[in-house]
């Protein structure tokens, strides 16, 4: 009897467990594809219930640290010519876009069709540039471009950021050994505080830095709003950041002289913005935008500068050429700070280094859109409300578009890249609103490093961590000394 029951159990287990496994494996495919069974969806696999393909994604990005093989594996399985794959990532049914032509189609189409979908609008603010759409977006964007990204504002920024960078590098040389990423974050934040709201280092800036760390940590976290979560902490940090800027606005309204002393900063620009009918932005519009601009610019610029320092240490021949070009400029300037025009006109090779740094860094590895209606693209259906994930990183590291893509080769920028393959700052109506500002800050940093200092990596083989953004596990620890005069 016992023997028969045992056999029955084994038979049941042998028959049922694989079936259950199969059901789980195809659960999402059945659930999400069934309503579209009359159309052809892009090839792919949507993974397990709830988590979709996240384990697979984390395997490539976190465990084996070969992020590009996540897409390579899909192309190997479904065909090299495929431009998109269906999946389920970050909690949504998704289409991964990995070709230049389809990314161009998505990013350059109207914002109504493919809606910008940044995470955590509650943290970033409903009235920030990244959250608004249509005419409201165009109007705000034009203004923000003018105050942060156009020649006149770049000239102002260049003169404003240099004293702090020069002082910081002197301090590094004095210390002799620093963790570059920590130090860069500090100086970049101080410069942002000055440029955005005329703040000087001190108590307010220390508090702001602390609260911004909270905002940035929770910004990409799962939106679970209860005590102890990164998301809840970010919401609380947002309130504190907003309170600091609100006080600053109040002070400016009450004291005209004080306001005049800060008339060149971004906060003042936002407070003075008027639309065609002469109306100013309301208070929450100003606050949401100042908060989100810092979020968008702080981490991305700091990481890019970190990658510049790392790559220049790894490629001494590149550093030598950068140094030669910058020394020439330094001689001509005879002790004066360089300007944004000097950088544009006289630092051709350095500008190539900046471009290559930002390509290789892949700070923004993918961008997200939500599809607002069913679309057919090259025979495949892209269903309404699914997420589109434009996998820019894959395009920037693909040997089909960039020869020997992992090699840091600034000379590749002597000729234009293949159309659609340079998406480091996105494309179309949502192209990065701070792209020239970011380039300028990286170039200025490189200039002062190259003309005055030498550095060596303490851990030349440090591991690269890819999430949430690519960085070195040791934070780029360097020995840092003054350059023997040449
Ligand atoms: C190397 C540094 C940077 C990188 C790699 C970068 C990358 C990007 C990318 C890829 C997008 C497009 C996102 C999308 O299409 O969904 C974007 C948008 C944006 N970036 Fe940047 N960014 C950088 C620096 C900055 C800076 C310094 C600022 C401003 C201070 C800034 C402000 C913005 C804003 C406001 C948007 C949204 C534009 C809109 O919706 O119209 N970024 N950035």
């Amino acid at each position: 009897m016992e023997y028969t029951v045992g056999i029955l159990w084994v038979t049941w287990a042998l028959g049922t467990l694989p079936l259950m496994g199969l059901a789980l494996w195809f659960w999402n495919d059945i659930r999400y594809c069934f309503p579209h069974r009359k159309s052809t969806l892009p090839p792919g696999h949507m993974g397990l219930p709830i988590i979709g393909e996240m384990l697979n994604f984390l395997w490539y990005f976190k465990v084996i640290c070969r992020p590009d093989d996540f897409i390579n594996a899909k192309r190997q399985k479904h065909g090299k010519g495929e431009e998109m794959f269906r999946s389920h990532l970050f909690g949504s049914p998704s289409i991964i876009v990995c070709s230049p032509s389809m990314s161009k189609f998505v990013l350059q189409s109207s914002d109504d069709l493919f809606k910008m979908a940044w995470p955590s609008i509650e943290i970033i603010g409903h009235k920030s540039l990244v959250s608004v759409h249509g005419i409201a977006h165009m109007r705000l964007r034009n203004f923000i471009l003018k105050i942060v990204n156009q020649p006149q504002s770049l000239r102002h920024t260049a003169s404003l950021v240099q004293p702090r960078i020069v002082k910081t590098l002197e301090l590094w040389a004095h210390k002799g050994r620093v963790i570059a990423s920590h130090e860069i974050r500090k100086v970049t934040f101080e410069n942002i505080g000055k440029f955005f709201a005329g703040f000087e280092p001190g108590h307010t800036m220390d508090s702001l830095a602390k609260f911004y760390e909270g905002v940035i940590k929770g910004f990409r976290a799962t939106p679970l709003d209860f005590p102890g979560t990164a998301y809840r902490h970010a919401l609380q940090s947002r309130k504190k950041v907003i309170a600091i800027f609100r006080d600053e606005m109040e002070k400016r309204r009450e004291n005209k002289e004080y306001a005049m002393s800060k008339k060149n900063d971004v906060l003042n620009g936002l407070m003075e913005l008027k639309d065609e009918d002469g109306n100013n932005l309301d208070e929450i519009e100003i606050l949401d935008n100042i908060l989100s601009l810092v979020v968008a610019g702080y981490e991305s610029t700091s990481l890019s500068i970190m990658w510049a320092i790392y790559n220049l240490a790894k490629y001494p021949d590149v550093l030598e050429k950068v140094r030669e070009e910058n020394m020439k400029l330094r001689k001509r300037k005879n002790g004066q700070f360089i300007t944004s025009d000097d950088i544009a006109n006289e630092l051709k090779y350095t500008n190539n280094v900046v471009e290559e740094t930002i390509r290789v860094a892949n700070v923004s590895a993918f961008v997200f859109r939500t599809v607002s209606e069913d679309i057919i693209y090259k025979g495949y259906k892209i269903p309404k409300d699914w997420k589109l994930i434009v996998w820019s990183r894959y395009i920037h590291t693909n040997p089909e578009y960039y020869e020997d893509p992992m090699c840091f080769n600034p000379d590749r920028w002597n000729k234009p890249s293949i159309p659609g393959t340079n998406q480091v700052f996105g494309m179309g109506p949502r192209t990065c609103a701070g792209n020239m500002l970011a380039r300028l800050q990286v170039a200025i940093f490189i200039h002062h490093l190259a003309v005055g200092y030498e550095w060596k990596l303490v851990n030349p083989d440090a591991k690269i961590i890819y999430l949430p953004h690519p960085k070195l596990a040791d934070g780029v620890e360097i020995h840092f000394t003054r350059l023997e005069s040449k």
Side-chain angles (χ1 to χ4, degrees):
M1 177 67 179
E2 263 176 31
Y3 178 72
T4 321
V5 171
I7 296 236
L8 277 173
W9 268 108
V10 171
T11 317
W12 181 83
L14 284 178
T16 315
L17 288 181
L19 275 180
M20 278 171 67
L22 270 180
L24 281 179
W25 187 247
F26 288 109
W27 185 276
N28 272 351
D29 280 292
I30 296 165
R31 175 174 167 204
Y32 291 106
C33 302
F34 187 72
H36 308 287
R37 61 195 174 282
K38 292 195 178 133
S39 322
T40 312
L41 291 174
H45 175 56
M46 301 184 75
L48 302 170
I50 305 169
I51 57 171
E53 278 208 298
M54 281 313 285
L55 290 179
N56 194 20
F57 169 83
L58 292 173
W59 169 258
Y60 284 106
F61 274 73
K62 267 199 140 147
V63 183
I64 62 168
C65 294
R66 294 212 320 256
D68 303 313
D69 284 350
F70 179 69
I71 303 290
N72 282 332
K74 290 184 183 300
R75 293 183 82 197
Q76 223 158 34
K77 182 164 175 203
H78 300 289
K80 243 183 146 215
E82 295 295 348
E83 297 184 49
M84 56 181 146
F85 301 101
R86 75 168 185 274
S87 181
H88 189 289
L89 287 168
F90 310 105
S92 305
S94 308
I95 305 286
I96 292 171
V97 176
C98 59
S99 79
S101 58
M102 188 171 173
S103 327
K104 256 173 86 178
F105 167 67
V106 173
L107 297 180
Q108 293 186 337
S109 290
S110 105
D111 195 36
D112 297 334
L113 185 57
F114 299 118
K115 276 223 157 24
M116 175 101 150
W118 274 35
S120 307
I121 294 298
E122 297 301 326
I123 295 173
I124 212 78
H126 286 271
K127 291 190 171 179
S128 80
L129 182 65
V130 299
S131 316
V132 294
H133 299 274
I135 293 176
H137 169 252
M138 283 315 295
R139 171 180 155 255
L140 195 55
R141 183 177 163 87
N142 284 340
F143 176 71
I144 285 176
L145 285 175
K146 209 158 77 195
I147 51 172
V148 300
N149 215 35
Q150 286 185 355
Q152 202 168 338
S153 59
L154 294 176
R155 274 181 210 120
H156 172 63
T157 314
S159 67
L160 193 130
V161 298
Q162 287 183 74
R164 236 173 227 108
I165 292 176
V166 168
K167 232 165 99 188
T168 297
L169 296 181
E170 280 168 8
L171 204 71
W172 291 11
H174 184 69
K175 289 183 184 168
R177 182 168 168 163
V178 293
I179 298 187
S181 63
H182 296 178
E183 305 287 333
I184 293 163
R185 279 177 85 82
K186 253 190 259 164
V187 63
T188 306
F189 196 76
E190 283 177 13
N191 272 333
I192 282 178
K194 177 83 183 152
F195 167 54
F196 276 66
F199 290 147
E200 294 294 341
H203 176 67
T204 307
M205 278 298 285
D206 291 346
S207 307
L208 255 189
K210 193 171 96 196
F211 301 142
Y212 261 110
E213 291 297 336
V215 167
I216 288 167
K217 274 200 187 122
F219 166 59
R220 291 182 196 280
T222 315
L224 297 173
D225 184 9
F226 44 78
T229 62
Y231 184 76
R232 164 71 67 92
H233 180 60
L235 285 173
Q236 289 165 341
S237 303
R238 170 191 155 88
K239 279 192 194 140
K240 290 174 183 156
V241 170
I242 293 288
I244 290 176
F245 283 118
R246 187 174 271 137
D247 280 356
E248 176 67 17
M249 285 171 68
E250 204 48 54
K251 238 162 125 182
R252 292 180 186 203
R253 285 196 193 106
E254 280 169 6
N255 184 340
K256 293 285 166 239
E257 212 173 298
Y258 177 72
M260 273 308 284
S261 71
K262 300 203 165 186
K263 71 178 176 30
N264 283 327
D265 64 31
V266 176
L267 181 61
N268 187 61
L270 287 166
M271 287 172 77
E272 292 202 337
L273 169 67
K274 284 192 180 6
D275 64 16
E276 310 77 52
D277 304 326
N279 300 318
N280 286 101
L281 295 183
D282 66 38
E283 186 169 274
I284 197 69
E285 268 182 298
I286 298 173
L287 293 167
D288 277 356
N289 278 291
I290 201 102
L291 179 132
S292 59
L293 279 171
V294 177
V295 170
Y298 171 36
E299 181 102 7
S300 52
T301 308
S302 312
L303 282 169
S304 302
I305 296 171
M306 181 206 78
W307 279 106
I309 292 183
Y310 175 81
N311 283 314
L312 289 173
K314 280 261 168 184
Y315 292 81
D317 51 326
V318 174
L319 176 57
E320 215 33 60
K321 280 169 84 174
V322 167
R323 190 164 275 147
E324 200 179 302
E325 185 179 71
N326 281 272
M327 283 292 194
K328 220 187 269 169
L329 174 61
R330 188 168 93 138
K331 243 185 214 150
R332 186 180 75 64
K333 296 300 287 189
N334 200 17
Q336 283 178 321
F337 284 140
I338 57 169
T339 65
S340 51
D341 299 291
D342 294 332
I343 296 172
N345 301 328
E346 296 182 46
L347 297 183
K348 184 172 181 302
Y349 186 72
T350 307
N351 288 324
N352 285 356
V353 171
V354 172
E355 227 50 43
E356 183 69 346
T357 297
I358 299 176
R359 176 189 75 86
V360 175
N362 272 307
V363 170
S364 177
F366 4 80
V367 298
F368 297 86
R369 296 288 183 271
T370 303
V371 191
S372 50
E373 59 189 71
D374 286 347
I375 291 172
I376 303 292
Y377 183 83
K378 297 196 178 167
Y380 289 127
K381 180 173 180 181
I382 304 174
K384 178 174 184 274
D385 293 334
W386 284 30
K387 285 257 154 67
L388 276 166
I389 309 178
V390 176
W391 217 273
S392 324
R393 169 183 179 102
Y394 187 71
I395 295 171
H396 301 143
T397 56
N398 188 332
E400 291 160 45
Y401 315 123
Y402 290 96
E403 196 186 327
D404 198 0
M406 294 310 176
C407 173
F408 185 77
N409 174 15
D411 285 324
R412 70 171 88 243
W413 296 98
N414 284 334
K415 52 180 199 251
S417 53
I418 301 169
T421 59
N422 185 6
Q423 302 179 5
V424 288
F425 291 111
M427 266 184 193
R430 294 287 183 165
T431 301
C432 177
N435 57 358
M436 298 312 291
L437 174 64
R439 287 181 170 111
L440 176 83
Q441 293 191 79
V442 182
I444 289 177
F445 222 104
I446 292 178
H447 169 78
H448 289 288
L449 280 166
V451 297
Y453 301 92
E454 306 184 275
W455 62 101
K456 270 205 169 74
L457 299 172
V458 173
N459 307 302
D461 300 319
K463 194 176 148 193
I464 299 177
I465 296 170
Y466 290 96
L467 292 175
H469 301 287
K471 55 182 160 215
L472 275 299
D474 72 340
V476 186
E477 192 168 8
I478 46 175
H479 294 291
F480 196 78
T481 51
R482 268 182 196 289
L483 186 65
E484 296 298 315
S485 43
K486 288 205 166 186

